[in-house]
């Protein structure tokens, strides 16, 4: 069989931002927008993702960063070291929300706080960009959606791969039937490093004096101060959502966008603590198996997701969407479409039962087969490989914020990842945690967005 190869290359220039090269936050970096059109932005939660998000936001034109809020004084002090009085800092995010001159906020806090700060920000008349997962618990989703609809404000959930050119291309290919009917999807996101396992650096001055610990606990049980639960919060179920909320949610968001799905009907997860037995109570290995029923946009299929923080072998994170006539595999910087159709004839001979029957029946079968199938029917089409390279231009993270700001400027709630989409991605991965801890499958109504 021969293999053909085509490459689709779009124009532009790649733009990314390092959190260690932060531009002055209050510089208006565009002549395209008038002062009246600029968006004044604040960030609530200046940890790792808060910095990444802020950089991606500021890579868009007409955005001015004016304020930050964080419960750790050291992060606020650092912002003053970088920008002096050009940036305002707050320990209490509610004081920030009272400012009438702030148009939009990034919420990049511990998962525990996503729902409350989102609702407070919408009530205060702010456009909201909330990091994934949108909520910490499944039961919080409906109130966030209700608050968003009532507010009339723009809201974007931060799983930026849905703004990638590769996922837009996959969506197009699937809708055109390029791989036939989808039957199975697999997606993995493995790691093997201490920082990758969320063991982030803890500042030496971390204490109840420098961190507002009582506020941080929110509505959880009152526990003694523990800096690991503040700086490495993803590892603890009271504050984070583990591998499911950190990584499964990226995988499922991309799948839902490409396949145009509202979600699964049945979720089961299994895993455990295999390597990082350091006091965390969230698993470091998890496999989720999700069943999707037939819908107007896709046939029934199964999605299997895996995260392994103990993968000392070869790590090749990918998503493969497999159909009856080929597959789409996401590769670094794009995707690869492999088309492979079966011939019309089923085949005869070789590892087949034909040789096990009496000779006159073999001869009769061969005569029937030769009469029914032509030579053309017996030949498979050549395997065809199509490689799509992401265009040079703004990164998916920058584009995701661009979609957010575009809709905010025109007063639209139609972002690419609005709260309905965001919750339909968050709820199944949170159900993976529920399944893991309860050791049983979870039934989910994807249309009504509620547990069955």
């Amino acid at each position: 069989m021969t293999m053909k190869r085509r490459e689709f290359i779009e124009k532009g220039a790649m733009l990314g931002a390092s959190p260690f090269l932060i531009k002055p936050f209050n510089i208006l970096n565009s002549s395209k927008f008038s002062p009246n059109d600029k968006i004044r932005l604040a960030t609530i939660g200046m940890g790792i993702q808060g910095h990444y998000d802020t950089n991606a936001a500021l890579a868009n034109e007409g955005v001015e960063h004016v304020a930050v809020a964080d419960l750790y004084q050291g992060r606020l002090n650092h912002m003053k070291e970088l920008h002096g009085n050009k940036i305002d800092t707050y320990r209490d995010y509610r004081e920030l929300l009272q400012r009438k001159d702030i148009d939009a906020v990034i919420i990049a806090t511990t998962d525990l706080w996503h729902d409350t700060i989102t609702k407070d920000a919408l009530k205060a008349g702010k456009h909201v960009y909330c990091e994934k997962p949108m909520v910490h618990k499944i039961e919080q989703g409906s109130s966030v959606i209700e608050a968003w609809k009532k507010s009339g404000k723009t809201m974007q959930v931060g799983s930026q791969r849905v703004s990638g050119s590769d996922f837009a291309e996959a969506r197009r290919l699937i809708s055109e039937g390029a791989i036939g009917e989808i039957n199975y999807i697999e997606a993995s996101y493995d790691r093997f490093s201490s920082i990758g396992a969320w063991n982030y650096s803890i500042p030496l001055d971390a204490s109840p004096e420098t961190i507002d610990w009582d506020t941080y606990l929110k509505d959880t049980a009152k526990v003694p101060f523990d800096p690991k639960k503040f700086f490495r919060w993803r590892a603890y179920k009271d504050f984070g959502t583990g591998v499911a909320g950190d990584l499964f949610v990226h995988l499922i968001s991309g799948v839902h966008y490409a396949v145009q799905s509202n979600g699964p009907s049945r979720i089961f997860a299994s895993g455990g603590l295999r390597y990082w037995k350091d006091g965390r109570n969230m698993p470091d290995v998890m496999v989720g198996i999700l069943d999707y029923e037939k819908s107007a946009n896709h046939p029934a299929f199964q999605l299997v997701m895996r995260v392994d923080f103990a993968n000392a072998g070869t790590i090749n994170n990918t998503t493969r969407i497999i159909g009856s006539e080929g597959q789409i595999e996401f590769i670094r910087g794009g995707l690869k479409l492999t088309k492979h159709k079966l011939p019309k004839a089923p085949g005869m001979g070789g590892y087949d039962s034909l040789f096990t029957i009496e000779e006159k029946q073999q001869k009769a079968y061969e005569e029937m087969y030769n009469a029914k199938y032509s030579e053309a029917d017996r030949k498979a089409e050549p395997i065809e490989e199509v490689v799509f390279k992401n265009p040079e231009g703004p990164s998916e993270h920058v584009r995701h914020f661009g979609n957010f700001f575009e809709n905010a400027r025109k007063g639209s709630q139609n972002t690419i990842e609005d709260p309905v989409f965001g919750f339909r991605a968050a709820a199944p991965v949170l159900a993976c945690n529920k399944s893991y801890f309860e050791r049983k499958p979870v039934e989910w109504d994807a249309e009504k967005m509620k547990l069955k």
Side-chain angles (χ1 to χ4, degrees):
M1 292 180 290
T2 61
M3 182 175 288
K4 298 178 182 178
R5 183 179 180 94
R6 303 197 307 271
E7 294 187 350
F8 297 89
I9 305 175
E10 300 179 26
K11 297 179 181 179
M14 178 61 73
L15 177 60
S18 165
F20 308 110
L21 299 172
I22 301 174
K23 298 291 192 317
F25 281 169
N26 66 332
I27 291 179
L28 184 61
N29 56 4
S30 169
S31 59
K32 178 179 178 181
F33 297 98
S34 71
N36 291 333
D37 290 328
K38 72 180 179 181
I39 291 177
R40 291 172 62 84
L41 178 70
T43 305
I44 301 172
M46 281 307 302
I48 301 169
Q49 197 59 32
H51 279 73
Y52 274 99
D53 281 347
T54 301
N55 278 326
L58 292 174
N60 288 273
E61 296 180 341
V63 181
E64 181 181 7
H65 198 251
V66 297
V68 298
D70 200 284
L71 294 177
Y72 170 49
Q73 187 62 42
R75 287 175 177 154
L76 302 180
N77 294 344
H78 185 55
M79 298 308 296
K80 287 294 187 181
E81 288 175 344
L82 292 173
H83 310 297
N85 292 328
K86 295 179 180 180
I87 195 85
D88 294 323
T89 62
Y90 300 88
R91 284 282 284 268
D92 190 334
Y93 76 89
R94 292 171 297 183
E95 294 179 19
L96 181 153
L97 292 180
Q98 290 174 5
R99 287 181 48 168
K100 303 298 183 184
D101 64 327
I102 292 176
D103 303 304
V105 295
I106 297 170
I107 300 172
T109 64
T110 304
D111 295 346
L112 173 66
W113 274 98
H114 284 183
D115 67 315
T116 298
I117 299 178
T118 293
K119 288 185 285 189
D120 286 348
L122 291 169
K123 187 175 181 179
K126 314 303 181 189
H127 303 294
V128 172
Y129 183 103
C130 180
E131 262 305 322
K132 53 75 192 168
M134 188 180 83
V135 291
H136 185 236
K137 303 291 185 184
I138 292 175
E139 54 268 25
Q140 297 166 346
S142 60
S143 65
V144 171
I145 293 172
E146 182 180 355
W148 163 68
K149 289 180 176 179
K150 183 178 179 180
S151 73
K153 293 296 178 179
T154 303
M155 182 169 170
Q156 181 89 296
V157 179
S159 187
Q160 61 269 10
R161 66 167 36 192
V162 303
S163 289
S165 298
D166 47 0
F167 278 89
E169 178 68 2
R171 183 182 174 108
R172 182 188 71 80
L173 290 169
I174 292 167
S175 66
E176 293 178 357
I179 59 172
E181 289 207 338
I182 297 167
N183 54 62
Y184 178 75
I185 302 175
E186 60 182 10
S188 63
Y189 212 141
D190 293 347
R191 293 175 178 172
F192 191 57
S193 71
S194 187
I195 290 177
W198 314 314
N199 288 325
Y200 307 133
S201 300
I202 298 176
L204 300 182
D205 71 343
S207 71
E209 286 69 43
T210 59
I211 295 170
D212 191 343
W213 180 251
D214 288 338
T215 297
Y216 177 70
L217 294 178
K218 196 189 174 195
D219 50 11
T220 64
K222 301 303 178 184
V223 296
F225 175 76
D226 185 345
K228 290 195 299 183
K229 292 180 179 177
F230 186 86
F231 291 98
R232 300 174 179 176
W233 52 269
R234 293 190 188 277
Y236 302 94
K237 64 180 180 181
D238 283 346
F239 307 102
T241 50
V243 298
D246 185 21
L247 300 173
F248 275 8
V249 72
H250 280 307
L251 300 176
I252 199 172
S253 295
V255 167
H256 283 187
Y257 179 76
V259 178
Q260 301 183 61
S261 176
N262 287 337
S265 58
R266 186 174 182 270
I267 301 107
F268 177 75
S270 179
L273 279 166
R274 309 299 186 218
Y275 186 92
W276 299 102
K277 300 175 183 179
D278 50 10
R280 67 183 63 205
N281 55 23
M282 297 300 282
D284 58 8
V285 174
M286 179 179 275
V287 175
I289 303 173
L290 289 70
D291 294 328
Y292 287 72
E293 296 178 352
K294 178 178 172 59
S295 76
N297 293 325
H298 59 73
F301 67 89
Q302 187 178 65
L303 167 64
V304 176
M305 298 184 290
R306 184 194 74 239
V307 169
D308 181 1
F309 279 0
N311 187 352
T314 301
I315 296 176
N316 184 25
N317 296 326
T318 189
T319 297
R320 291 200 310 144
I321 303 174
I322 302 166
S324 58
E325 297 180 9
Q327 74 170 28
I328 292 171
E329 181 178 10
F330 291 86
I331 58 177
R332 189 173 182 83
L335 62 80
K336 179 169 65 176
L337 165 67
T338 304
K339 294 185 68 66
H340 188 188
K341 292 179 67 174
L342 290 173
K344 182 178 179 181
M348 179 180 64
Y351 194 83
D352 182 22
S353 61
L354 186 62
F355 77 94
T356 69
I357 62 179
E358 58 184 319
E359 290 186 6
K360 68 176 183 179
Q361 287 298 323
Q362 290 185 39
K363 184 177 180 180
Y365 186 88
E366 289 174 359
E367 290 176 352
M368 177 277 298
Y369 189 92
N370 291 332
K372 185 174 183 180
Y373 299 110
S374 67
E375 285 299 317
D377 291 338
R378 304 177 200 194
K379 293 181 179 179
E381 294 182 9
I383 294 176
E384 182 179 7
E385 182 182 281
V386 180
V387 174
F388 171 86
K389 291 185 177 180
N390 284 336
E392 295 180 348
S395 70
E396 61 187 23
H397 203 173
V398 173
R399 289 158 60 108
H400 206 53
F401 269 101
N403 180 264
F404 171 58
F405 293 134
E406 177 186 359
N407 282 281
R409 283 192 174 94
K410 61 186 181 183
S412 167
Q413 291 190 308
N414 297 322
T415 57
I416 196 170
E417 192 174 3
D418 66 26
V420 173
F421 184 105
F423 184 52
R424 281 180 164 149
V429 302
L430 298 178
C432 284
N433 284 337
K434 180 178 175 67
S435 174
Y436 168 78
F437 284 108
E438 296 180 3
R439 303 177 67 87
K440 63 182 183 182
V442 175
E443 302 291 333
W444 175 248
D445 188 324
E447 297 300 321
K448 296 180 180 179
M449 294 182 288
K450 66 179 184 179
L451 295 168
K452 293 181 180 178

